[in-house]
Amino acid sequence: MVDLTTTYMGLKLNTPIVASASPLSQRVDTIKQLAEAGVSAVVMYSLFEEQVIQQSLEIDHLLTHGTDSFAEALSYLPDSGRYSVIPDRYVDQLANLKAAAGIPVIGSLNGVSPGGWVRYAKLMQDAGADGVELNIYYIPTDFDLTGTQLEATYVKLVKAVRAEITIPLAVKLSPYFTALPNLARQLQEAGANALVLFNRFYQPDFDLEALEVVPNIRLSTSDELRLPLRAVSLLHGRVPVDLAITSGVHTAHDVLKSMMAGAKVTMLASALLKGDAPSHARDILADLRAWMEEHEYESITQMQGSMSQRHVAEPAAFERANYMKVLGSFRFSDGSATHSSLTMGMLYPFLGTPINDAGAEEE
Ligand SMILES: Cc1cc2nc3c(=O)[nH]c(=O)nc-3n(C[C@H](O)[C@H](O)[C@H](O)COP(=O)(O)O)c2cc1C
């Protein structure tokens, strides 16, 4: 029997499959079923900075103006939309999940600016959270804001949340940082125990008929795994934080790749939201066990980081040299090589080896 246990931010988990932050955690029964299926922990849907601030504004308005002008005042407040939760209800839901699920529950705070709202990290801890995940989802639009200033704000926010709690803290990041290794180190020094890589940006589309910007959520596919896979491979063993992969984990193979890159856990949302979440989780775990038995792996821990940049036979595979190699391997449909593959082949004899349709190198 293979051993699927792993640890994440000091939590001992039965399997490397965690339910990522999503509306699934609004349903206690679903989370119970996921736990029975082998999902080892759950990250709750997020409590947003804006929701906490809105609640404070409403209370403040009630206290200072009475109820007469309240309805009108509310209409000017930003509409949090269907995904709205009242912060205190959030904390109650966390306690409910904790009481019913039988697996670790991680609260999720989602915001960008240090401020009074971060006290909810402490309220989550008091409600029984096993950890807090801080999702920093910032989209810069200010031309005067530099990357250094932005990173300093991230660090300040992490310090502010760390100061509120004693339980483990994870930070969920977007992929578009210029110098991720350095930022990872800064966040760890600010108090992060884990990094969750990566947020998927929900990129708005244009409706050409209505000439409107339309936000819509598309579920991921396994193709999206490559982005966090490389980041985790590069960071593994170099910063003393646990790494979690989210984005594009759908199959047992995706979980295996994530473990080999160096992740402690994988966090799944799209795969579970697509259909019957518990049965899908069960299938992934069955496939995972079968693959490990077939390939004579005894445990998940044994494979964690085995394909990270520190351990892989060709570390350059993650870097620029490989970028050129990949471009150089392209062939037109008539089989002829590109100009760049010829040039690169001359510069770097190991590059530009013709690759046939099946992807295998030709003799
Ligand atoms: C419908 C939906 C709601 C989500 N809500 C949250 C959220 O509240 N907080 C958060 O940090 N991530 C949220 N996410 C992001 C997921 O947790 C996950 O990181 C992302 O979808 C990538 O993983 P996937 O490829 O398995 O979907 C949400 C994703 C979806 C699809």
Side-chain angles (χ1 to χ4, degrees):
M1 189 70 175
V2 292
D3 176 5
L4 296 186
T5 58
T6 182
T7 56
Y8 177 58
M9 310 197 287
L11 305 170
K12 289 196 169 73
L13 303 181
N14 288 335
T15 71
I17 295 191
V18 170
S20 203
S22 88
L24 284 173
S25 45
Q26 290 173 353
R27 301 177 178 179
V28 174
D29 281 350
T30 306
I31 297 302
K32 272 168 75 176
Q33 288 163 11
L34 283 173
E36 280 156 21
V39 167
S40 63
V42 54
V43 183
M44 270 186 76
Y45 54 92
S46 290
L47 175 61
F48 290 81
E49 172 180 353
E50 291 81 353
Q51 292 170 322
V52 178
I53 291 170
Q54 178 162 330
Q55 177 175 266
S56 310
L57 285 175
E58 287 169 14
I59 293 170
D60 190 46
H61 192 88
L62 270 175
L63 292 176
T64 52
H65 295 88
T67 49
D68 289 351
S69 54
F70 185 55
E72 190 197 342
L74 270 187
S75 66
Y76 294 113
L77 290 170
D79 178 9
S80 323
R82 286 194 300 132
Y83 209 47
S84 152
V85 278
I86 296 170
D88 294 333
R89 200 187 297 156
Y90 184 93
V91 175
D92 291 346
Q93 174 70 355
L94 196 154
N96 291 341
L97 279 177
K98 182 67 195 159
I103 50 174
V105 178
I106 297 170
S108 169
L109 271 184
N110 198 318
V112 289
S113 40
W117 70 282
V118 301
R119 73 182 186 283
Y120 269 86
K122 171 76 166 65
L123 297 179
M124 290 179 190
Q125 174 172 311
D126 293 345
D130 297 277
V132 168
E133 185 174 289
L134 172 65
N135 184 341
I136 315 181
Y137 189 104
Y138 188 81
I139 301 177
T141 52
D142 177 355
F143 283 76
D144 291 326
L145 180 72
T146 67
T148 308
Q149 288 166 333
L150 186 63
E151 289 184 7
T153 311
Y154 273 53
V155 169
K156 208 168 156 193
L157 180 52
V158 171
K159 281 186 180 161
V161 176
R162 177 76 279 169
E164 294 284 332
I165 53 172
T166 52
I167 54 177
L169 172 63
V171 179
K172 188 169 180 178
L173 292 175
S174 76
Y176 306 117
F177 283 97
T178 312
L180 184 67
N182 180 269
L183 178 65
R185 191 167 64 197
Q186 290 189 64
L187 296 177
Q188 183 270 324
E189 287 169 359
N193 306 103
L195 298 178
V196 182
L197 307 176
F198 287 118
N199 257 322
R200 273 179 85 225
F201 273 113
Y202 297 108
Q203 287 145 337
D205 199 2
F206 291 171
D207 179 332
L208 289 177
E209 295 306 322
L211 292 184
E212 279 175 1
V213 180
V214 279
N216 59 353
I217 289 190
R218 282 207 178 162
L219 297 181
S220 68
T221 66
S222 288
D223 283 346
E224 290 170 51
L225 179 65
R226 290 180 178 208
L227 195 62
L229 200 62
R230 180 170 63 178
V232 167
S233 304
L234 293 176
L235 295 180
H236 173 260
R238 296 192 165 122
V239 200
V241 283
D242 283 348
L243 300 165
I245 282 193
T246 181
S247 281
V249 181
H250 287 256
T251 65
H253 281 189
D254 297 335
V255 178
L256 288 159
K257 289 176 189 174
S258 303
M259 295 300 109
M260 290 185 188
K264 291 292 183 100
V265 289
T266 50
M267 294 185 172
L268 288 69
S270 295
L272 300 179
L273 288 166
K274 257 186 336 206
D276 179 347
S279 107
H280 193 54
R282 223 173 252 118
D283 288 349
I284 296 176
L285 286 165
D287 291 349
L288 188 61
R289 284 193 187 91
W291 191 95
M292 287 172 67
E293 272 160 19
E294 194 185 325
H295 294 78
E296 298 181 0
Y297 278 91
E298 287 170 6
S299 70
I300 283 288
T301 47
Q302 179 190 2
M303 67 175 72
Q304 278 167 337
S306 59
M307 296 278 292
S308 66
Q309 196 188 27
R310 281 195 335 158
H311 292 124
V312 85
E314 197 191 343
F318 294 103
E319 294 176 359
R320 186 175 164 81
N322 204 56
Y323 162 57
M324 295 190 290
K325 184 177 179 177
V326 168
L327 296 185
S329 70
F330 177 77
R331 293 291 177 273
F332 290 105
S333 52
D334 64 5
S336 59
T338 63
H339 176 67
S340 62
S341 60
L342 296 174
T343 319
M344 287 176 193
M346 284 186 278
L347 283 173
Y348 300 92
F350 66 95
L351 301 178
T353 314
I355 292 186
N356 63 26
D357 282 349
E361 289 192 353
E362 284 170 5
E363 295 295 314

